Amino acid sequence: MPSNNCFYTLQDSRGYIWVATDAGVSRFDGKVFENFSVDDGLPDNQILQLREDNTGRIWFLSLNGQLSYFLNGKIYNDSNDQLLKLLNFNAVIVSFYQDTKGRIWFGTNKNILVMWDGKTIMKYISANVNRQFFNTFIHEDADGKIWAYSTGSVRIFNGSDFDVVEQADLPISYKTILSTSDHLLAYINKNGLVTKKNNNDHFEYPIDQSLLNSELGYFYMDRSKNVWLSTSSGIYHIQSDGKKIHYLNNMFTSQVIQDMKGNMWFTTNNGIYMLPKKSERLYVINKTDGLTSDVIKSLIKDDKDRFWLGFDEANINILDLKKNDVVKITLPDKKKYNVIKQLSFDSVNHAVYFASDYGLGRLNNIHRAVNQIDYLRESNDLIFVIKSFSLAKNKSLAMALSSGVVILNDRINKFEFSSLYLKEGADIFNNRSYCTFYDKDEHLWFSTINGLSELSNNTLYSYYKKSPLLTRRINDIKELNDGTIILATDGYGILFIKNRKIIKVITQRDGLADNICKKLFVKDNAVWVITNNGINKVSLVDKNAIVETFEYTNALLKDDVNSLYIDADYAYFATNNGLVYFPVNNSKAAHELPVVLISSIVNNKVKLSLNGSKHILDPSNNNITFYYSAIDFQNKNITYRYRLKSDANWTETKNRRLEFSSLEPGEYVFELSAKYNDSEWGKATLVKFVLEEHFWQTLWFLGLIFIIAGFVFYKIAVVVTRRQKNKEQEQLLLKNKILMLEQRALQAMMNPHFVFNVMNSIQHYINTKDTASANKILTGFAKLIRKNLDICTQSFITLEEELEYLELYLSLEKKRFGEKFNYAINVNPEIDKEETMIPSMLLQPYIENAIWHGIMPKEEGGKIDIQINLVGNDHLLINIIDDGIGIENSLRDKKGEHVSKGMDLTKERINLLNQVEANPIQMQIRQNGKSGTFVSISIPLNH
């Protein structure tokens, strides 16, 4: 707000709260204050009152007497509204009233009363010195009669003038009189509250003279005629039965109002305050009310409606709200029972059990004046760490310890155990445990580091073996009336289990405040849950989850809630700020859906009117910004959704400002709606606007462009067609050249030295009469020659054919060189060799080069690895790797000018293919470190 010194508060018909201060006016939507001052059009920054007429104008009554009003996002004053020049009385306006005929009456601080009917202005002045019109308040009764009340007289309007009515009882000031919506007049005189119905005055009840003698401001009266008084020492709520409640003690207050939802607003010289309506009001009991501390760790309620509260430093309090009484108990061992983190009531034996981290105890005979305290004893005085405990209806007690789950079968007669004599599977279940719970059938549920288990009739059922969700940490376990088990998990929401199956999981997606759930409480078959980010009430209706939020509690219940208890009327929470409670209903009340209000529309830095008409925007002003809000004074979590076209999808946002830039010309309907966390979407607010077309987007201009474009396209088509024919001829030439090169490559690939050496090998085997080896080589060589001839006419062959050709070639080389040469071919099994096409005879020149120039120069010989893999779904990657002397070393040691014709022709062929085809073949040749050569060829599979 512009200032803390506030004079007047008004809620307008749309729901906004307006505040008049000594530094301007503020409009409040529950989240943001929008401030207005003389820079925005106010005639004076000191605004004393705010009023709204039946057309929605917000009138500002200023200290300097000049009138102004706010309408559709704009402030009107005497510089932009001729009417306001006429409504200048050189006086401070102290009252404002619009009657049923639409006439507006202005009371002033001078002897002048003004009536304006929209066309003419009438001024009324009294010549009677004792009965002048100073500070007059106007009221219209149920019969349509106009009454004028001041501190000196009462008058009634006869149609043209005012007649004096004798009356002894008069209001203390113009601030202590009000007119209700049902035409009842109420005012405070020197004795108390008076009401007037038509001509009948009725004294309601007296008010303390000490209050009447204080500086009274504007007051409020409800339908039960209870009065809220603003005074120089705070707000007093005076009920008709005489009961009086004091708020804002010793604070100067000037006004009280009630908003549409029943919240009370107090105007003070230190800002404005809101007292929520009774159904959403939080109450706090803390150290100032007699509790030991503000920090409450645990909470239960006994059968006498007394609350038991656990604190730090071994303290327990018994709080009786009906008697407003606190009984304090301090345990002697403050070190062992430093934090009373859990309390449990045993209704059968009238005892209260309490636990700290290192001990468990029992208060017996809790309804007697003196309590007997028993402490759980470990027979060997061994230390045990308690996480939680649970009481069965019979005599059993189960504890979740850091070492496991321990069961006491008779907690009444034997309140002790021995860690050394516990039997696994009977009275102890090892592994670090977190919580225990006895259901109504006396079955024990517990969670350990492994997950959830159930002990039923001495049979252990391990849920964690069946479901991964049930292996997670569980912080609390409770049961619904129908036997459904509820689990509070540490990060996975709450789980519902029935018939040993998970039937429902509730998480943040369903409206839960947080997935980390700490404590549960079941009331009327609904589950209350404490999360890491607030509280929720969850109900299952026909297997559908209804998640309620209590967002007005966020300030006190968002963090540091330690325990809870829910009864028929109130929900109680043990927090680090005291005992917090609020009223609850047995059935979920229907939510009032939020209504979105557009507060401002800005088009290229110019504010547009909010009168609801369609906005016509210039095509150059194609940026528009919307400022909006849903009125909310309960700190609710509001989500908005919007769209610009009725057939478009909705977009959700948390922002309260939306900017659209670079919009295309056309008609738009901006739709905006909102919802709370647990509500449906509210009715959409609509704003229609049209972005006009540029002249070049009009039909006549587009027609002209179409004609010109048609002529230009015709000319271009002629040129393009001619070029296309030329390009096709060039491609034919390129393809012919490729075919020629393929033939030349074919001849170059079959190296004469290779043929000569194969023949020598055959002759050697014949001379040595090894006809079998000679036949094998001859057969392989014949197959290779035949294969060579088969594929020489094909530009592309299958990978299967290429591999068959390479296998023939490499096997012949292997027979020639023996153990000096080895090879391996590895093909990814995911490759379809019969469907994958590659350029024919692409690999042989590089393999031949690797054998002759890489491996053969080495005395010990070497190996070639051929690896064929997929890269993505669209490329074949072929790697040829040898461990020869290396290509760089080979080139350096080479003698003469010999050039590998096969490799050069293959490179030229690849370059030509890349010019013709859309996707290029990539090739890389490099030396692997000091020796060896790496050849990589990437072939697109769309060939």
Side-chain angles (χ1 to χ4, degrees), residues 106-124:
F106 300 96
T108 72
N109 65 344
K110 295 184 179 180
N111 182 25
I112 181 172
L113 175 67
V114 180
M115 184 273 290
W116 173 63
D117 62 4
K119 297 179 181 179
T120 59
I121 296 174
M122 294 293 296
K123 297 181 179 180
Y124 302 92

Side-chain angles (χ1 to χ4, degrees), residues 31-77:
K31 292 285 191 302
V32 176
F33 284 94
E34 185 179 5
N35 299 324
F36 304 93
S37 66
V38 291
D39 295 331
D40 303 292
L42 288 178
D44 187 3
N45 276 335
Q46 296 197 62
I47 305 300
L48 302 180
Q49 288 188 58
L50 301 159
R51 300 298 176 95
E52 183 180 18
D53 64 20
N54 57 20
T55 65
R57 291 179 293 192
I58 308 297
W59 291 81
F60 306 129
L61 313 185
S62 63
L63 182 64
N64 66 7
Q66 295 181 25
L67 280 169
S68 58
Y69 65 85
F70 179 92
L71 182 65
N72 292 328
K74 183 179 179 181
I75 293 178
Y76 295 85
N77 52 42

Side-chain angles (χ1 to χ4, degrees), residues 243-257:
K243 186 178 179 180
K244 182 170 61 177
I245 304 174
H246 190 190
Y247 299 95
L248 305 182
N249 188 27
N250 293 325
M251 186 176 293
F252 185 91
T253 59
S254 57
Q255 185 202 16
V256 184
I257 66 167

Side-chain angles (χ1 to χ4, degrees), residues 216-275:
L216 295 179
Y218 300 95
F219 77 101
Y220 174 79
M221 183 185 74
D222 63 23
R223 293 185 179 274
S224 300
K225 297 179 181 177
N226 300 316
V227 168
W228 296 75
L229 278 183
S230 61
T231 73
S232 57
S233 59
I235 300 292
Y236 290 88
H237 183 198
I238 303 170
Q239 300 182 18
S240 54
D241 60 2
K243 186 178 179 180
K244 182 170 61 177
I245 304 174
H246 190 190
Y247 299 95
L248 305 182
N249 188 27
N250 293 325
M251 186 176 293
F252 185 91
T253 59
S254 57
Q255 185 202 16
V256 184
I257 66 167
Q258 186 179 60
D259 67 18
M260 300 171 183
K261 303 229 177 129
N263 306 309
M264 303 304 299
W265 294 80
F266 307 145
T267 310
T268 79
N269 63 353
N270 191 34
I272 59 170
Y273 294 79
M274 187 192 81
L275 178 66

Side-chain angles (χ1 to χ4, degrees), residues 452 463 466-471 485 487 494-506:
L452 179 69
Y463 285 81
K466 302 293 183 180
S467 171
L469 263 181
L470 299 177
T471 64
I485 296 295
L487 309 176
I494 57 176
L495 311 181
F496 291 77
I497 294 180
K498 194 170 186 179
N499 299 324
R500 294 188 170 174
K501 292 182 180 179
I502 297 175
I503 62 171
K504 194 71 177 177
V505 179
I506 308 295

